Amino acid sequence: HPQSTASELGSKNYATDAAYRALCDALERRGEPGKVTPTEGGHWIIRYQIRDYRRVTVIIPTKNLGRILNTCLTSIFEKTTYPNYEVLLIDNGSTEPETLEIIDKWKTKEPDRFRCERYEVPFNFSKINNYAASKASGDYLLFLNNDTEVVNPDWMTAMVEQVQRPAIGAVGGLLLYP
């Protein structure tokens, strides 16, 4: 009915106020430094204070598909606001000239944040990612496919906010498809 929060969240402000207080109380009770902020629609999200901006290694396995890869890398380097990360590309035997040129372009354009390791084995996604993990320099590993495109600049920051918390073992992002 029209006065239901299912129809209109703003119809019962006391409910959203109570939710805010409950989240603030939970943060205080747990001793976690965070801020409860409103989202569209009258809901809340907790943004945690990052205690230490530890390095994130973004691992991307690839083979060919240069244009798709370039879109992925461009979105990471142009949009990501988290200050301490590297991208580790694992090239599983690319042969397309365009792809090899794109890899060289990013080595030149982002020499401090982009590395590429060739790993030519028969395709085995787990094996490739395990190899990448052994070559990573970051404290956190972030696994992406080469067809991923960053749309929100604080995507990595939001994930680090969560993964730094002792109670959290793994974090994942929301993936949207066209």
Side-chain angles (χ1 to χ4, degrees), residues 142-144 148 155-156 158-159 162 170-177:
L142 196 159
F143 296 93
L144 286 183
T148 307
W155 70 290
M156 194 180 297
M159 291 202 298
Q162 295 294 330
V171 176
L174 174 64
L175 301 177
L176 303 173
Y177 297 91

Side-chain angles (χ1 to χ4, degrees), residues 97-172:
E98 179 186 20
T99 301
L100 300 175
E101 288 171 17
I102 286 166
I103 291 169
D104 286 340
K105 173 185 95 170
W106 285 106
K107 283 180 183 176
T108 302
K109 195 170 183 177
E110 291 286 347
D112 298 327
R113 295 192 299 181
F114 178 80
R115 289 189 296 135
C116 179
E117 298 270 344
R118 277 188 77 83
Y119 190 53
E120 296 191 36
V121 296
F123 179 77
N124 180 318
F125 192 68
S126 299
K127 188 173 191 172
I128 293 167
N129 281 296
N130 285 331
Y131 173 78
S134 76
K135 300 294 183 181
S137 67
D139 296 297
Y140 301 124
L141 303 180
L142 196 159
F143 296 93
L144 286 183
N145 286 345
N146 61 358
D147 63 349
T148 307
E149 185 175 351
V150 172
V151 295
N152 188 336
D154 76 340
W155 70 290
M156 194 180 297
T157 301
M159 291 202 298
V160 170
E161 287 175 18
Q162 295 294 330
V163 77
Q164 72 174 348
R165 298 170 55 216
I168 304 299
V171 176

Side-chain angles (χ1 to χ4, degrees), residues 8-105:
E8 177 59 44
L9 190 59
S11 68
K12 295 183 180 175
N13 287 336
Y14 66 87
T16 56
D17 293 344
Y20 172 79
R21 286 192 309 278
L23 291 169
C24 289
D25 290 348
L27 284 173
E28 187 175 328
R29 192 172 52 253
R30 295 173 185 152
E32 293 184 318
K35 183 178 177 183
V36 180
T37 58
T39 65
E40 281 188 38
H43 298 285
W44 303 99
I45 187 168
I46 298 173
R47 297 303 305 254
Y48 292 91
Q49 176 186 346
I50 296 179
R51 296 181 188 118
D52 182 9
Y53 285 82
R54 294 163 60 185
R55 188 175 189 113
V56 174
T57 298
V58 180
I59 294 171
I60 305 172
T62 197
K63 181 176 181 176
N64 296 318
L65 303 173
R67 275 179 269 162
I68 290 171
L69 173 63
N70 192 53
T71 298
C72 176
L73 294 173
T74 299
S75 72
I76 292 169
F77 289 119
E78 289 183 359
K79 294 181 181 173
T80 303
T81 57
Y82 187 80
N84 189 13
Y85 70 93
E86 70 169 344
V87 173
L88 176 55
L89 186 74
I90 303 300
D91 181 10
N92 187 225
S94 291
T95 55
E96 295 175 354
E98 179 186 20
T99 301
L100 300 175
E101 288 171 17
I102 286 166
I103 291 169
D104 286 340
K105 173 185 95 170

